[in-house]
Amino acid sequence: MTDPEQVVEANLKFYFALESLDVDLMEEVWATDASAICVQPNWNRLAGWENIRASWEQIFRNTTFMRVDVSEVSVEVQGNVAWVTCLTDISTTVNEEMRRAQAYATNIFVFEDDRWLMVLHHASLLGRVEKSA
């Protein structure tokens, strides 16, 4: 339970779901109850899985491509709670427009049912989003 590598794997599954633009994969990595919190850049704080799921559905509906490169990963585990901080380089295509951005993310996980589940994702943009045709 306290193996940081398991937390790193859970974190990578989150970013894989994001890149896949697949809300069902996203649901597999989240705690799907009222404890879940998500703060995405330029969005209001979302509480509860249903609200978070709706936000991912909206993002995925309007996005045709997403690539996330994760670096500067730091993991801390204390009992059944773990957190990951990381730098993400994000490339997306939305409405045929390519966008690039960097964000620092904090992801908090709890260990439930023999697996690490995300209970908080908070991403903060660094600088401005670059747009290209």
Side-chain angles (χ1 to χ4, degrees):
M1 174 171 74
T2 59
D3 181 3
E5 289 304 313
Q6 292 175 334
V7 179
V8 169
E9 174 129 349
N11 196 62
L12 289 174
K13 284 182 182 180
F14 166 72
Y15 288 110
F16 178 77
L18 192 59
E19 285 185 332
S20 298
L21 306 173
D22 187 327
V23 76
D24 292 329
L25 288 176
M26 189 62 74
E27 188 166 9
E28 290 179 16
V29 299
W30 277 87
T32 56
D33 59 22
S35 69
I37 302 288
C38 187
V39 182
Q40 299 179 45
N42 301 317
W43 284 62
N44 290 326
R45 175 184 173 273
L46 300 169
W49 171 245
E50 292 307 316
N51 292 323
I52 295 166
R53 181 186 172 98
S55 75
W56 292 126
E57 288 173 341
Q58 181 181 347
I59 290 167
F60 295 166
R61 187 171 38 254
N62 295 313
T63 304
T64 55
F65 169 82
M66 186 173 302
R67 166 83 189 204
V68 183
D69 293 311
V70 180
S71 62
E72 298 182 26
V73 177
S74 173
V75 179
E76 294 293 329
V77 179
Q78 292 190 9
N80 69 338
V81 176
W83 55 95
V84 176
T85 58
C86 56
L87 177 65
T88 57
D89 289 299
I90 307 158
S91 300
T92 59
T93 303
V94 178
N95 299 326
E96 298 182 26
E97 181 178 71
M98 181 66 118
R99 299 176 183 178
R100 287 188 166 79
Q102 278 191 316
Y104 273 111
T106 302
N107 299 320
I108 299 177
F109 298 86
V110 295
F111 194 76
E112 287 181 5
D113 301 324
D114 290 328
R115 61 191 179 129
W116 289 100
L117 296 173
M118 182 175 281
V119 291
L120 181 133
H121 168 69
H122 185 169
S124 299
L125 285 178
L126 298 174
R128 297 169 44 167
V129 175
E130 297 175 21
K131 297 180 182 180
S132 59

